[in-house]
Structure formats: C-alpha cells, structure tokens
C-alpha cells in the first residue's frame, strides 16, 4: 500500500498479479501467491484498514512491513490490525519507530535491533564470568563509534538501541543514571568506513569498576567488516580476546525472517520505549 500525491485526493488505484517462487535448484513452482497493490490519493490513506479488511483472509496471521518512506497515515491505520509489525528504526528514526511500536498489540520486529544482536550477545558474554558480574552495577561509561550516514534521521540508531537495551535491562533512568544514582557517561560518534553498512557499529567500549580495579570490554569490527573481536581487560588477569564472524545478510532476508516469525521479542519493545524516553529527556 502506498500514497501518491499526484492522484486525486480520494482516488484508489489497484493492480493484481501473481507472484511465484521456484524450488531451490529446480524450475518447479513451489509457492504462488496473489499480490494486490493499492495506491491511495492523499485523503484516502486513513481508510486503509477498512479497505484491507475486505481483502485479507481472517484465519491467517497478518504481518505489516513498514518500508522506507511508508506513508504515515496508512501505517498508523494498519498497525493496530496487524499481528506482526516489521520496521527499521534505522530508516524511520527512533521516535517514529517507538510511536509505531506503541500502536496496538502487534509483535514488533526492528531490523536495526536484529542487526545489533551480535554486539549485544558479545557484551552479555563478558558477564558470564561470575567474577566480573558485580561490574554490571558499576558501569561508568560506554563509548560507541558507528559508520557515518550523513544527514539521516536514523544514522546512530544501532548505537542508541544498544545503549537503550543495556539501560533498560539494568534499570537505569532516562537521564542515564544507574540504580545507585550514579551517572553513566555515554558517547556516540561516527566515522568514515568503506565496505560496511552505513550506521553499523564499528567500536563499542564499556568501562566498569570492580573492587580490584577497572574493567574494560572492547568490541571492534575488523577492517573488512567480516569479523568482530571482543577484548576483556580485568584486574589480575591477562586480556581475553575472542573473535566472531559476522554473517552478511541483506535486508530482504532479514525482512522475510521477521515476517515469518510470530514469536514476540519483548526486548525490542522495551528498548524502543526506553530510547524514546531517553531521547525526549535529553
């Protein structure tokens, strides 16, 4: 569904076609589906939900993919009716994505949050060591560098979502103070890097304290963009270094996987809600 300003304000254009996939390695059609494309005039977009209701199969789940530049009126009309909403806060910006996540009870999948999964897992692994776990309550600073994306509303979203996830999990307030009221210094910067997706995380450094001294966890993306290294420096121990591959997946694959997943991920909604509160507080 889309809106076209060149149509008459109350016009509706429709096109129906068939879309078929072939079985991998063969030319046999495996799945065929109908594709109905609807283009609204500027005043008709708000009626998208009632128009769609006559076209969908009530016994099947409904997934809404919010593509780049999706018209606000259509999206906001459809969000409350969908079972799953797939969006990309790196395209929409955090404020817009958080607003959509608050419409209705749909399960939310954020492509920007999915892209940052490896970095979240690596940070969490730092504290698998019971001796380092007390540092979770004494994080003092987080420095993040992401690939630049000049002039884009979602340029730093992956970095901001990582901070929001960590803050929401650890019970920080919107001014980024931990449970003891101690402020956590946060720095988000951009840098030029060829061969990587704009906005992706290049460097994450977490600084925390233990009774015996400082703890530093450093996640760094390799020059070729294919690997992430995790270096943990803690008092009384030699540096621990781990290296992880980063599988390259294009957005089409991420969208398809998200649409097919009807499991709810409360971490996404939690991170978006915290990010919205944090950004408005700032």
């Amino acid at each position: 569904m889309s809106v076209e300003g060149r149509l008459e304000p109350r016009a509706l254009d429709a096109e129906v076609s068939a879309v078929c996939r072939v079985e991998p390695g063969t030319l046999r059609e495996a799945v065929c589906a109908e594709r109905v494309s609807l283009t609204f005039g500027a005043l008709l977009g708000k009626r998208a939900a009632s128009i769609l209701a006559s076209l969908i199969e009530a016994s099947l789940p409904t997934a809404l993919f919010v593509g780049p530049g999706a018209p606000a009126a259509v999206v906001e009309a459809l969000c409350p009716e969908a079972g799953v909403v797939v969006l990309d806060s790196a395209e929409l910006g955090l404020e817009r994505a958080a607003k959509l996540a608050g419409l209705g009870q749909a399960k939310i999948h954020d492509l920007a949050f999915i892209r940052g999964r490896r970095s979240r897992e690596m940070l969490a692994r730092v504290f698998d060591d019971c001796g380092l776990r007390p540092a979770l309550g004494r994080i003092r600073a987080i420095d993040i560098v992401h690939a630049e994306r000049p002039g884009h509303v979602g340029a730093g979203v992956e970095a901001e979502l990582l901070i929001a996830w960590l803050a929401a999990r650890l019970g920080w307030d919107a001014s980024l103070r931990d449970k003891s009221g101690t402020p956590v210094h946060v720095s988000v910067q951009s840098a030029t890097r060829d061969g990587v997706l704009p906005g992706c995380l290049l460097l994450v450094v977490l600084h925390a304290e233990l009774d015996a001294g400082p703890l530093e966890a450093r996640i760094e993306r390799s020059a070729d963009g294919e690997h992430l290294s995790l270096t943990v420096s803690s008092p009384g121990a030699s540096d621990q270094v781990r290296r992880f591959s980063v599988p390259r997946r294009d957005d089409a694959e991420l969208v398809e996987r998200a649409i097919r997943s009807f499991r709810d991920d409360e971490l996404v909604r939690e991170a978006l809600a915290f990010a919205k509160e944090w950004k408005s507080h700032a």
Side-chain angles (χ1 to χ4, degrees):
M1 291 184 164
S2 61
V3 171
E4 175 55 68
R6 289 174 294 185
L7 291 178
E8 290 294 323
R10 298 184 184 279
L12 170 61
D13 278 0
E15 180 180 337
V16 181
S17 58
V19 180
C20 297
R21 293 184 183 178
V22 297
E23 291 184 4
T26 76
L27 295 179
R28 293 180 303 191
E29 293 176 350
V31 178
C32 287
E34 294 173 314
R35 172 175 289 169
V36 181
S37 300
L38 301 178
T39 305
F40 301 100
L43 296 180
L44 201 60
K46 294 180 179 180
R47 297 190 58 189
S50 61
I51 294 172
L52 182 64
S54 64
L55 298 175
I56 62 175
E57 172 55 59
S59 63
L60 296 177
T62 302
L64 171 65
F65 169 56
V66 183
V74 173
V75 172
E76 292 181 16
L78 297 182
C79 269
E81 309 299 326
V84 170
V85 174
V86 181
L87 51 81
D88 188 350
S89 55
E91 292 292 342
L92 302 174
L94 277 177
E95 183 178 351
R96 178 80 177 131
K99 179 180 179 181
L100 296 181
L103 298 176
Q105 301 300 314
K107 297 173 177 63
I108 303 296
H109 294 290
D110 184 349
L111 302 186
F113 195 76
I114 293 173
R115 295 186 198 103
R117 185 185 69 179
R118 179 71 67 169
S119 295
R120 294 194 304 275
E121 289 177 345
M122 293 172 75
L123 271 185
R125 287 187 181 192
V126 173
F127 301 99
D128 284 345
D129 185 335
C130 294
L132 303 183
R133 202 163 296 167
L136 275 172
R138 299 165 66 182
I139 295 174
R140 297 295 176 250
I142 305 171
D143 301 318
I144 301 181
V145 179
H146 63 83
E148 69 175 359
R149 196 179 187 186
H152 198 285
V153 67
V157 158
E158 288 191 36
E160 292 165 340
L161 280 176
L162 181 65
I163 296 165
W165 162 75
L166 191 62
R169 291 282 86 195
L170 297 179
W172 301 353
D173 65 21
S175 62
L176 297 184
R177 293 178 180 270
D178 65 18
K179 287 184 175 181
S180 70
T182 304
V184 180
H185 175 74
V186 169
S187 170
V188 177
Q189 300 180 1
S190 63
T192 303
R193 174 75 71 87
D194 294 330
V196 298
L197 289 173
C200 78
L201 302 180
L202 302 176
L203 177 68
V204 178
V205 185
L206 182 146
H207 306 272
E209 293 179 359
L210 292 165
D211 290 340
L215 165 70
E216 180 183 284
R218 183 184 187 91
I219 300 172
E220 191 164 9
R221 188 177 296 268
S222 62
D224 61 8
E226 299 286 345
H227 296 86
L228 290 174
S229 62
L230 169 64
T231 305
V232 180
S233 304
S234 59
S238 57
D239 289 358
Q240 300 177 38
V241 181
R242 300 177 186 175
R243 187 174 169 88
F244 301 86
S245 63
V246 183
R248 286 188 177 271
R249 296 191 176 100
D250 61 21
D251 281 356
E253 182 181 354
L254 293 181
V255 170
E256 182 172 358
R257 289 190 175 199
I259 287 175
R260 292 177 180 273
S261 173
F262 278 79
R263 294 177 300 173
D264 202 7
D265 187 350
E266 283 300 322
L267 292 180
V268 181
R269 196 183 298 275
E270 185 180 77
L272 285 172
F274 185 92
K276 180 181 180 182
E277 186 179 1
W278 164 38
K279 301 299 284 185
S280 63
H281 186 276

